[in-house]
Amino acid sequence: MKSITVLVAGAFAILPLGAGAGAEEAPRESPGIGWAITAVSGAATVDEPVILFEEGGRVSGTSGCNRFGGEATQEGSVLTLGPLASTRMACPGALGEQEQAIFSLLGQPLEVVLDLATASVTLTAPDGGTLSLQRQP
């Protein structure tokens, strides 16, 4: 299986990040590149969490329970998100654990690696945690 570290923002048109956006806004529907979060540190996800990278350095999505939004920047192969704002609905059981794991990982600098064989992306945090992403049609 071949994978490469994405070295330049926009390489392979994965993350359309530009200059940082202004004041925080609530998550919203917007054109961008959507990715399903298919696994968190190897565990398959439930309730279809999604992350959307938008033009202008915005990011939004859902953990499968709560929606989130904020800013994203990429320097070399490192993606940094935040600050992120989110809704605050109660997420019981496994869904709450999934959300906590996703938000914990999104709060760290993430190494972006593209898998050429599957056209998927893995985001790896310094603590070794990962988010596996699959491009949405």
Side-chain angles (χ1 to χ4, degrees), residues 11-74:
F12 305 102
I14 294 173
L15 310 173
L17 304 176
E24 282 189 32
E25 300 173 17
R28 58 181 163 53
E29 296 298 321
S30 173
I33 298 177
W35 296 83
I37 302 173
T38 58
V40 179
S41 296
T45 56
V46 296
D47 287 349
E48 303 176 3
V50 173
I51 189 165
L52 177 69
F53 295 95
E54 305 168 22
E55 294 293 333
R58 298 287 305 160
V59 64
S60 62
T62 176
S63 67
C65 182
N66 283 295
R67 294 174 43 114
F68 63 88
E71 295 183 20
T73 57
Q74 187 174 357

Side-chain angles (χ1 to χ4, degrees), residues 39-114:
V40 179
S41 296
T45 56
V46 296
D47 287 349
E48 303 176 3
V50 173
I51 189 165
L52 177 69
F53 295 95
E54 305 168 22
E55 294 293 333
R58 298 287 305 160
V59 64
S60 62
T62 176
S63 67
C65 182
N66 283 295
R67 294 174 43 114
F68 63 88
E71 295 183 20
T73 57
Q74 187 174 357
E75 196 170 314
S77 63
V78 177
L79 174 68
T80 304
L81 304 179
L84 295 177
S86 73
T87 57
R88 300 254 185 204
M89 294 187 302
C91 308
L95 190 56
E97 291 171 17
Q98 171 179 289
E99 177 174 270
Q100 184 177 16
I102 289 171
F103 286 167
S104 175
L105 288 167
L106 292 179
Q108 300 179 57
L110 300 164
E111 185 79 19
V112 179
V113 177
L114 170 67

